[in-house]
Amino acid sequence: QVQLVESGGGSVQAGGSLRLSCARIGRTFNGDAMAWFRQAPGKDREFVAAIWSGSSTYYTGSMKGRFTISRDNAKNTVYLQMNSLKAEDTAVYYCAADVAGSVVSGTYKYWGQGTQVTVSS
């Protein structure tokens, strides 16, 4: 019923920038939480950022201050602007929508397919 389609991943040099997009198809997400997570090989899934009703946002971890989550409701799209990228940011990034519980650790109903981000030092 809802599909999340990610794009924007790729390979960049350390210090560079990427902008990930996650388009929500099937239903508007206004007021509903959207989030970005990432997972590197051999590591647990890590929360990156979330945005929800009232354009509230939340960040944590090493990406705080470097990454920015935003939303374009007209396009039903959520973005993750990633600046000052580091090698340790290398991971598969994916978006999630419609959480039950905490935006950080709650259960999301919908997930994107993931997009690879590779940062070379």
Side-chain angles (χ1 to χ4, degrees):
Q1 54 184 316
V2 172
Q3 184 181 13
L4 304 179
V5 181
E6 295 187 349
S7 61
S11 299
V12 297
Q13 296 283 330
S17 299
L18 284 174
R19 190 190 195 193
L20 306 182
S21 300
C22 179
R24 176 168 177 155
I25 302 172
R27 189 188 304 163
T28 181
F29 57 84
N30 290 357
D32 295 328
M34 297 283 288
W36 287 94
F37 291 80
R38 69 184 185 184
Q39 188 167 26
K43 299 185 66 177
D44 293 333
R45 184 177 63 196
E46 179 184 22
F47 173 83
V48 175
I51 185 167
W52 65 96
S53 181
S55 295
S56 297
T57 59
Y58 184 77
Y59 307 88
T60 190
S62 63
M63 69 291 299
K64 188 187 304 181
R66 299 184 295 117
F67 294 4
T68 302
I69 187 170
S70 62
R71 178 167 59 195
D72 186 337
N73 289 332
K75 298 179 179 179
N76 285 333
T77 300
V78 170
Y79 304 96
L80 183 68
Q81 178 68 45
M82 305 186 294
N83 299 323
S84 301
L85 284 163
K86 306 173 181 179
E88 52 263 44
D89 294 320
T90 296
V92 176
Y93 287 71
Y94 46 97
C95 62
D98 297 2
V99 67
S102 168
V103 295
V104 176
S105 59
T107 300
Y108 284 83
K109 188 173 183 178
Y110 307 107
W111 290 88
Q113 78 283 0
T115 184
Q116 177 70 47
V117 172
T118 301
V119 184
S120 57
S121 59

